[in-house]
Amino acid sequence: MAGSPKKSGLLLDIEATNGTAVTPTAAANAVAIRAKNLKFKPSVGTAVRDVITGTMGNEDKLPFDHTAEFTFGVELAASGTAGTAPAWGKILRMGGFAETVTAGSRVEYTPVSSGFKSATVFGEVNGRLEQYFYAMAALKLSFVVGEIAGLEAACKSLVSTVAAGAIGAKTFTPWQRGLAVGPVNTSKISLGGVTYTAGVLAGGTAYDFQSFDLDCGQDVQILALAASQTVDIYDFKPKLDLVVDLTPAQHAQFVAGMKAGTTIGAGFTHGTVAGKKIVIHLPRCVIADIDDTMKGPIMVSKLTLEPRSSVDGLDDWVRITSM
């Protein structure tokens, strides 16, 4: 039966033990999703019976697992209160980020290389209630002028049930209105020797930018064994695409930096009021590519940067702060 994506819903909560489903509730765990990005796709792994039957046609197949992939997006807005975790913090946690809360000040998210957390997700779409557990996510952050800052999640999980049903009335109180990216709310991006201390960026040279697209590059895989299945993150391959306004001399400077293998830091602040600020900091990036790109009839520069940790062996190639 045909339906509207606007009548969809999503509940998400972190599992205390990875792979042991919890029960997210509509009152405490509803996600304010962007309707256009919501998609669920359950699937089944099958073993093919390669048996000659005397006729042509499809081989018989037998199922051996039940998995799913699903995608959704949310607006990236601070919690409204400095030191209170934003509603989307759980999404970062299921994507391999740790959460550090400094009461009354800020909440910081940095990647980890172990101790990943999974989530249980209930999705309501077109009259169905689809329940998934052991879910982990590959994440993308997007700040584009004229749009709301966003976070996209591409998830892999195991399937609990898919049946006709609904979530019910949802509470979206923890979800704040996102801020549009642009001169009213967003700073220039600093590139170069950019440092971060307690939510404050310093150093580097400020450049105006049109878009900041950070692909965190999580390699999420499902491992099927004889008596169990697991979901885990096996690597990060982050990449930043940055469309920035450069003078000819600045463009040439970045080309020289690319040729020399120079590393640069990057950082900016979105939001101007305490409780509504998001600070992004990448301490060390290698310039992988620089090119011209068109925004309508206007030619600007596009930098592709590959983030690195500030010090080898330290998990801090990006820091996302809500404050």
Side-chain angles (χ1 to χ4, degrees):
M1 181 176 180
S4 169
K6 289 189 175 182
K7 297 171 67 175
S8 301
L10 192 73
L11 308 180
L12 185 153
D13 201 10
I14 296 297
E15 295 170 348
T17 301
N18 285 1
T20 300
V22 294
T23 305
T25 67
N29 306 116
V31 177
I33 53 176
R34 287 174 161 170
K36 66 178 181 180
N37 298 321
L38 181 65
K39 182 178 180 180
F40 293 98
K41 190 181 186 305
S43 60
V44 58
T46 57
V48 178
R49 296 187 66 218
D50 189 14
V51 176
I52 296 176
T53 61
T55 58
M56 295 183 180
N58 290 325
E59 297 89 350
D60 190 15
K61 296 180 180 179
L62 302 175
F64 67 86
D65 72 355
H66 302 94
T67 63
E69 296 184 7
F70 57 95
T71 60
F72 65 96
V74 299
E75 293 182 348
L76 203 60
S79 68
T81 303
T84 297
W88 41 265
K90 292 180 180 180
I91 302 171
L92 289 183
R93 291 177 63 195
M94 67 185 289
F97 281 76
E99 179 181 85
T100 302
V101 178
T102 302
S105 177
R106 63 192 181 277
V107 183
E108 298 168 306
Y109 296 91
T110 50
V112 294
S113 292
S114 61
F116 303 118
K117 298 301 295 181
S118 61
T120 296
V121 177
F122 288 3
E124 177 188 350
V125 57
N126 204 19
R128 304 185 309 272
L129 182 58
E130 307 195 1
Q131 300 183 14
Y132 305 113
F133 69 104
Y134 220 148
M136 292 189 181
L139 304 174
K140 295 181 180 179
L141 285 75
S142 178
F143 295 81
V144 179
V145 172
E147 299 181 9
I148 309 298
L151 172 65
E152 303 291 328
C155 310
K156 293 183 180 180
S157 72
L158 306 186
V159 179
S160 178
T161 60
V162 177
I167 287 173
K170 297 170 283 294
T171 300
F172 296 118
T173 305
W175 293 88
Q176 303 297 304
R177 296 176 72 194
L179 298 175
V181 180
V184 173
N185 301 309
T186 314
S187 75
K188 294 182 178 181
I189 189 166
S190 294
L191 299 174
V194 184
T195 61
Y196 170 96
T197 304
V200 178
L201 298 170
T205 301
Y207 300 89
D208 230 341
F209 72 98
Q210 197 278 333
S211 63
F212 174 102
D213 292 294
L214 177 63
D215 183 347
C216 295
Q218 291 92 337
D219 182 13
V220 181
Q221 299 290 338
I222 298 175
L223 175 63
L225 299 173
S228 64
Q229 283 180 284
T230 57
V231 184
D232 217 336
I233 297 172
Y234 288 88
D235 203 357
F236 285 91
K237 293 293 184 183
K239 184 185 76 166
L240 170 63
D241 286 326
L242 179 65
V243 175
V244 62
D245 185 22
L246 301 177
T247 67
Q250 291 168 339
H251 189 103
Q253 179 184 358
F254 282 109
V255 171
M258 178 180 64
K259 292 168 64 178
T262 303
T263 58
I264 60 173
F268 70 97
T269 301
H270 181 58
T272 60
V273 179
K276 296 186 177 182
K277 293 182 181 180
I278 295 174
V279 180
I280 307 293
H281 179 237
L282 298 99
R284 186 171 59 146
C285 300
V286 173
I287 306 170
D289 191 39
I290 182 168
D291 200 358
D292 295 315
T293 187
M294 300 299 294
K295 293 299 175 181
I298 303 171
M299 180 179 288
V300 287
S301 299
K302 179 181 177 182
L303 294 174
T304 298
L305 306 178
E306 294 182 356
R308 304 283 193 272
S309 296
S310 61
V311 178
D312 290 344
L314 186 64
D315 281 318
D316 69 343
W317 55 263
V318 67
R319 186 179 301 269
I320 304 164
T321 303
S322 174
M323 59 182 296

